[in-house]
Amino acid sequence: MLFALSDPERLAIARQLVDGPLDMAECHLSNPDVPKSTKSHLMKVLRTSGVVRNEANGRARRLSLRREDLDARFPGLLDAVLSAEDGNAKV
Amino acid sequence: MLFALSDPERLAIARQLVDGPLDMAECHLSNPDVPKSTKSHLMKVLRTSGVVRNEANGRARRLSLRREDLDARFPGLLDAVLSAEDGNAKV
DNA sequence: TCCATCGTTCGAATTATTTCGAACCTTTTG
DNA sequence: CAAAAGGTTCGAAATAATTCGAACGATGGA
């Protein structure tokens, strides 16, 4: 999990999900030109590390933070990570 | 910082320093047979990411957690990481 | 002084991550 | 039904991180 969030792009994704689920297309990367396979891979890392959920939603994909699971397993960690340095710093 | 702590060995080192500074030789790795250059490199990652301090102490090296600095920059993060899952889980 | 101790740094080899295009799948729209 | 939209997966190439031995530096003791 720490590894998944140690990448700025992945951390930024997690931050976008803090206010509720988003369809993949609504999740923005810092560089809007990365190919979809790359974006998909970023999601996969977040997914396999247990940070996000990724369920089919029509032809889209609904992404959501796995808050409960994470808070249960690592209390305080997610909050600390997501709030760290107001989102603009290397974490 | 998250990256530095996302490695189990480095996290274990950080945990050993939570109760106070230690000389490098007193810091134990899960595998006691790793060469010193490898151990030194692990420390370097922790050092350059700002997690630990490493000052000369005679011919030894005194390692210490940079608690204040880290708590100031990432409030709650260190505590959450260090206490997560009682130290035995992948974080 | 000379030598052993405790670590660091360097470079090369290994291993792991990231990145991207192409092929593919499913759902929606025309 | 065909084609477009939205994503996933696979494989290969490029990057980055880890690992280790060897060479080095400083300190402390004989």
Side-chain angles (χ1 to χ4, degrees):
Chain A
M1 171 193 175
L2 284 184
F3 176 74
L5 294 174
S6 70
D7 174 69
E9 206 70 70
R10 290 192 296 253
L11 180 57
I13 291 171
R15 286 211 167 95
Q16 294 178 53
L17 294 175
V18 108
D19 300 320
L22 245 44
D23 276 353
M24 182 131 172
E26 304 170 330
C27 251
H28 302 304
L29 267 41
S30 67
N31 171 5
D33 298 330
V34 316
K36 51 187 184 171
S37 57
T38 300
K39 187 174 181 181
S40 187
H41 179 256
L42 289 172
M43 296 303 179
K44 186 179 198 169
V45 175
L46 286 169
R47 180 161 21 97
T48 60
S49 71
V51 175
V52 307
R53 207 175 289 119
N54 180 343
E55 24 196 1
N57 176 36
R59 63 182 153 183
R61 289 274 159 166
R62 169 129 321 215
L63 306 169
S64 51
L65 256 194
R66 304 187 55 170
R67 259 206 166 283
E68 297 73 21
D69 298 337
L70 292 171
D71 285 349
R73 205 167 300 291
F74 312 114
L77 219 177
L78 190 60
D79 281 332
V81 169
L82 294 178
S83 64
E85 192 74 4
D86 202 21
N88 48 276
K90 58 175 159 70
V91 179
Chain B
M1 172 193 176
L2 284 185
F3 176 75
L5 294 174
S6 69
D7 173 69
E9 206 69 71
R10 289 192 298 252
L11 181 56
I13 292 172
R15 285 209 168 97
Q16 295 179 51
L17 294 176
V18 112
D19 299 319
L22 245 44
D23 276 354
M24 182 131 174
E26 304 170 330
C27 251
H28 302 304
L29 267 41
S30 68
N31 171 4
D33 299 330
V34 315
K36 52 188 185 171
S37 57
T38 300
K39 187 173 180 182
S40 186
H41 180 256
L42 289 171
M43 295 303 178
K44 186 178 197 168
V45 175
L46 286 168
R47 182 162 18 100
T48 59
S49 71
V51 176
V52 307
R53 209 174 289 119
N54 180 342
E55 24 196 1
N57 175 35
R59 61 183 152 183
R61 289 273 159 168
R62 168 127 319 210
L63 306 169
S64 51
L65 257 193
R66 303 187 55 171
R67 259 205 168 284
E68 298 73 21
D69 297 338
L70 291 171
D71 285 349
R73 203 166 302 289
F74 311 114
L77 219 177
L78 191 58
D79 281 332
V81 169
L82 294 179
S83 65
E85 192 72 5
D86 202 21
N88 47 275
K90 60 176 159 65
V91 179

